[in-house]
Amino acid sequence: MKYRKLGKNGPEISVIGFGSWAIGGGNWEMSWGDQDDHQSMESVRAALDAGVTFFDTAPVYGLGHAEELIGKALGSDRDQVVLATKCGYLWDENQRLVKNGTFDSIMREAEASLRRLGTDTIDLYQVHYPDTDAHAPADETMRAMEQLVKDGKVRYIGLCNYTVPLIEQSMSVRHVDSLQPPYSILVPQAERELLPYCLEQGVGVVAYSPLASGLLSGKYTHDTRFADDDWRSKHKAYTGESFKRNMDRVEKLKSIAARLDITVPQLAIGYALAHPALTSAIVGVRRPEHITSILAAAEVELDHATLAEIRAAVAR
């Protein structure tokens, strides 16, 4: 495993992070379907054994279940890792997901996450989405985050899914330690503004979905269909003609990976980590082999010619 510093002020973390979206289990609107809790906890232990020190979760993943699992699985090793969770995206009495970045809501969420995780401090607390429901301005949300740092309940502050203008508004209150955007070979939009801005401002970047939620796993074919309780079954990128076009792109990537004697997922992680703004790439894990099979990606180094070849292979 390799490690990089998170922005100019943050801790050193593993370049491969553990993502826990799927292990939240079923029965919520963005579910990956039912999961085996015992297997999920074994996956956490496998990641620890492999030198992974960055574990990312969120309250909405299984409506609190993923946080509880992560806290339980880490156990006495909690202080050996950088534990990250999120706020600003929660559920109402009907289990409908809503965004709320108001000061009071953020403070309540932090207490609930600390309890579920079984810890006194959240290492990296991230706003999951900008508030578009309760309509709290970004600076109000950031004041709540700053207060949590002052109270000793949070060490570092991050943002997810933010635009550059919203990051700048947040930075007017205090420095943002990290950004978590979607970033992959198939979803490279962050390269345009977000990554250069973060590099310039000393904001660490932890990319989510570097495998494009499985599209770059190398396991799917044109005939793959996702179960009804898997959110991907209702998303255009994973169904119909869009999915077929994505599979065509993956076939081209397989040739590049084979020439380099690596797998498509390792190529995808290597691509993300090749950007100088990147600190870590979060890999979604449901089974131990999901983490062990990707470890070699930490050693992948892609030259400019190969990066250009990858971009050309997936260009629309």
Side-chain angles (χ1 to χ4, degrees):
M1 185 57 62
K2 291 184 177 181
Y3 305 87
R4 295 178 182 175
K5 186 175 174 61
L6 185 66
K8 67 179 183 180
N9 299 327
E12 197 170 73
I13 63 175
S14 54
V15 297
I16 295 175
F18 184 105
S20 62
W21 176 2
I23 68 173
N27 299 317
W28 65 291
E29 63 183 84
M30 290 299 291
S31 163
W32 292 65
D34 290 337
Q35 307 297 324
D36 182 326
D37 284 355
H38 178 71
Q39 192 172 63
S40 297
M41 292 180 67
E42 285 187 335
S43 300
V44 172
R45 302 309 303 177
L48 284 167
D49 291 343
V52 173
T53 62
F54 184 73
F55 288 79
D56 181 80
T57 188
V60 295
Y61 299 165
L63 309 187
H65 188 58
E67 283 187 324
E68 292 172 350
L69 271 181
I70 290 289
K72 185 177 179 181
L74 288 174
S76 61
D77 290 313
R78 157 68 187 97
D79 292 338
Q80 307 303 312
V81 306
V82 173
L83 182 56
T85 192
K86 307 180 185 76
C87 61
Y89 195 35
L90 60 163
W91 57 99
D92 62 18
E93 63 275 8
N94 298 313
Q95 296 191 346
R96 182 175 63 93
L97 300 184
V98 293
K99 302 182 180 82
N100 190 334
T102 60
F103 187 98
D104 290 344
S105 182
I106 296 296
M107 301 301 280
R108 287 193 300 270
E109 277 203 83
E111 294 297 335
S113 286
L114 286 166
R115 185 174 60 253
R116 285 189 292 261
L117 291 165
T119 188
D120 295 326
T121 308
I122 296 166
D123 295 317
L124 177 63
Y125 204 33
Q126 306 158 102
V127 184
H128 205 152
Y129 283 97
D131 183 349
T132 55
D133 293 337
H135 304 296
D139 54 342
E140 176 184 346
T141 302
M142 187 55 65
R143 282 194 294 273
M145 304 290 275
E146 183 179 40
Q147 186 61 52
L148 288 166
V149 173
K150 290 178 179 177
D151 293 344
K153 296 177 180 179
V154 168
R155 294 177 62 206
Y156 303 100
I157 290 175
L159 304 173
C160 309
N161 303 297
Y162 268 52
T163 61
V164 168
L166 284 175
I167 300 171
E168 290 178 330
Q169 187 177 343
S170 301
M171 295 268 268
S172 70
V173 177
R174 63 155 285 145
H175 181 72
V176 173
D177 295 303
S178 72
L179 176 72
Q180 188 178 141
Y183 179 52
S184 70
I185 292 173
L186 296 178
V187 184
Q189 287 83 348
E191 293 174 352
R192 298 172 188 167
E193 290 185 274
L194 284 171
L195 299 188
Y197 175 83
C198 288
L199 188 61
E200 178 183 317
Q201 297 295 322
V203 176
V205 179
V206 180
Y208 77 82
S209 294
L211 300 185
S213 294
L215 287 176
L216 296 169
S217 68
K219 298 178 180 178
Y220 303 144
T221 70
H222 290 78
D223 298 322
T224 297
R225 298 294 180 271
F226 298 100
D228 290 342
D229 60 353
D230 186 323
W231 68 273
R232 294 173 295 180
S233 67
K234 304 171 186 66
H235 193 290
K236 65 179 183 179
Y238 306 88
T239 58
E241 291 303 313
S242 293
F243 180 70
K244 291 178 181 178
R245 285 193 293 272
N246 280 325
M247 289 300 95
D248 289 340
R249 295 183 180 105
V250 172
E251 286 302 312
K252 296 177 182 178
L253 295 174
K254 284 181 179 179
S255 298
I256 299 172
R259 191 182 73 242
L260 299 174
D261 197 27
I262 58 177
T263 66
V264 170
Q266 290 166 0
L267 181 76
I269 298 298
Y271 177 90
L273 292 175
H275 197 287
L278 255 285
T279 308
S280 182
I282 298 173
V283 177
V285 180
R286 288 184 278 175
R287 295 188 292 275
E289 58 267 28
H290 287 162
I291 196 72
T292 55
S293 65
I294 206 73
L295 294 176
E299 303 294 334
V300 171
E301 295 186 5
L302 304 174
D303 59 28
H304 291 297
T306 304
L307 291 171
E309 184 182 6
I310 290 169
R311 294 186 184 103
V314 300
R316 289 186 172 88

